């Protein structure tokens, strides 16, 4: 079974540019999550999809962040325009339900310069 | 809301010794607790979990202890090996699907 795949693994962009991160969950997992770890700090929840619907987006920092999951398969997280404080590692995870645990992807390391 | 704190940002142990990583949480309604291991360049990897109706659970070389009275969680790793070197996170949830993570403890295994 393929795991959770994230692309790109690394991205370096200038402040003000746009970046789009992609996550392919495990096939059949309705639940898809985005988390972020800023340098040295805790991993923080961003949002949760159930199929194509946003179940909880309480962790999204501001309206510069837009997440989509069209068709309920892969998801994208767009940051526009990027700011320096957006730098960090963005993790995607998927599950059949929390009682079955999450599987995390390897993350996208975003550096805004 | 929930907050989760780890007691030590870094823990150094000798190979073969036991490691204990601690975590405190704030919300007494939290009912599911998970320990993750994150190696460099990889995502968090599930190690072991425990629900609030238990106070101890054992896996292969790992044990999780839950003290709901003081809202404290610990991960014990027996006979620590170099491959155990990683950042360890505790995560808790209170009935929803969202996990609240601690800041992580870097475990360094010295030969």
């Amino acid at each position: 079974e393929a795991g959770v795949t994230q692309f790109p693994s690394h991205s370096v962009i200038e402040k003000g540019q746009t970046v789009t991160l992609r996550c392919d969950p495990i096939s059949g997992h309705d639940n898809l999550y985005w988390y972020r770890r800023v340098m040295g700090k805790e991993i923080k929840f961003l949002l949760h999809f159930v199929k194509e619907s946003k179940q909880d987006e309480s962790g999204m920092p501001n309206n510069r962040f837009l997440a989509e999951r069209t068709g309920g398969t892969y998801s994208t997280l767009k940051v526009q325009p990027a700011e320096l404080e957006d730098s960090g590692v963005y993790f995607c995870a998927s599950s059949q339900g929390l009682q079955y645990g999450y599987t995390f992807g390897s993350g996208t390391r975003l550096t805004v310069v | 809301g929930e907050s989760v704190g780890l007691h030590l940002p870094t823990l150094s142990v000798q190979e073969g010794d036991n490691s204990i990583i601690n975590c405190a949480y704030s919300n007494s309604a939290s009912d599911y607790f998970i320990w993750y291991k994150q190696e460099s360049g990889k995502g968090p990897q599930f190690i072991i979990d425990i629900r609030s109706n238990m106070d101890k659970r054992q896996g292969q070389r790992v044990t999780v202890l839950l003290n709901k009275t003081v809202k404290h969680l610990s991960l014990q790793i027996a006979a620590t090996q170099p491959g155990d070197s990683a950042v360890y996170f505790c995560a808790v949830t209170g009935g929803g699907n969202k996990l609240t993570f601690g800041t992580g403890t870097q475990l360094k295994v010295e030969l």
Side-chain angles (χ1 to χ4, degrees):
Chain A
E1 172 182 83
V4 176
T5 305
Q6 292 188 245
F7 181 83
S9 57
H10 294 81
S11 180
V12 181
I13 62 171
E14 292 184 351
K15 176 182 173 181
Q17 289 187 320
T18 298
V19 63
T20 300
L21 314 181
R22 172 169 169 147
C23 170
D24 286 74
I26 292 173
S27 178
H29 282 192
D30 289 340
N31 294 275
L32 186 149
Y33 310 84
W34 284 97
Y35 284 81
R36 175 175 76 169
R37 187 182 190 209
V38 174
M39 178 67 76
K41 297 191 175 180
E42 69 271 32
I43 300 172
K44 281 196 168 181
F45 170 83
L46 296 178
L47 88 160
H48 169 209
F49 283 100
V50 177
K51 296 185 180 179
E52 68 274 12
S53 299
K54 291 176 185 173
Q55 185 76 11
D56 180 352
E57 52 184 330
S58 61
M60 294 289 265
N62 50 60
N63 60 9
R64 295 185 294 103
F65 289 75
L66 175 64
E68 294 181 320
R69 193 183 181 194
T70 306
T73 54
Y74 71 90
S75 175
T76 58
L77 179 64
K78 183 162 71 174
V79 185
Q80 178 183 30
E83 298 289 345
L84 298 178
E85 65 264 24
D86 301 332
S87 296
V89 182
Y90 290 76
F91 292 106
C92 175
S94 72
S95 77
Q96 293 175 295
L98 185 56
Q99 67 272 30
Y100 301 106
Y102 281 19
T103 301
F104 279 88
S106 296
T108 293
R109 179 173 295 277
L110 175 65
T111 303
V112 183
V113 297
Chain B
E2 174 74 82
S3 68
V4 179
L6 278 158
H7 292 185
L8 287 175
T10 304
L11 176 66
S12 293
V13 299
Q14 292 289 322
E15 182 181 6
D17 286 352
N18 296 335
S19 302
I20 299 176
I21 301 171
N22 296 302
C23 184
Y25 61 96
S26 64
N27 190 346
S28 57
S30 297
D31 61 2
Y32 182 46
F33 307 85
I34 313 169
W35 281 100
Y36 286 94
K37 172 186 181 183
Q38 188 189 0
E39 297 174 281
S40 180
K42 298 182 180 180
Q45 179 184 6
F46 173 91
I47 303 173
I48 192 168
D49 60 359
I50 189 168
R51 297 197 179 273
S52 57
N53 60 351
M54 301 174 69
D55 53 21
K56 180 179 180 179
R57 191 160 186 229
Q58 289 184 288
Q60 187 177 14
R61 285 202 305 118
V62 294
T63 301
V64 54
L65 298 177
L66 175 63
N67 185 330
K68 295 181 289 292
T69 303
V70 295
K71 298 197 280 288
H72 183 270
L73 185 71
S74 69
L75 175 71
Q76 300 178 1
I77 304 173
T80 311
Q81 301 169 0
D84 294 327
S85 294
V87 179
Y88 289 81
F89 293 93
C90 64
V92 307
T93 186
N97 272 275
K98 176 171 62 178
L99 292 176
T100 300
F101 283 82
T103 51
T105 291
Q106 173 76 59
L107 177 64
K108 297 182 179 179
V109 182
E110 298 170 347
L111 303 178

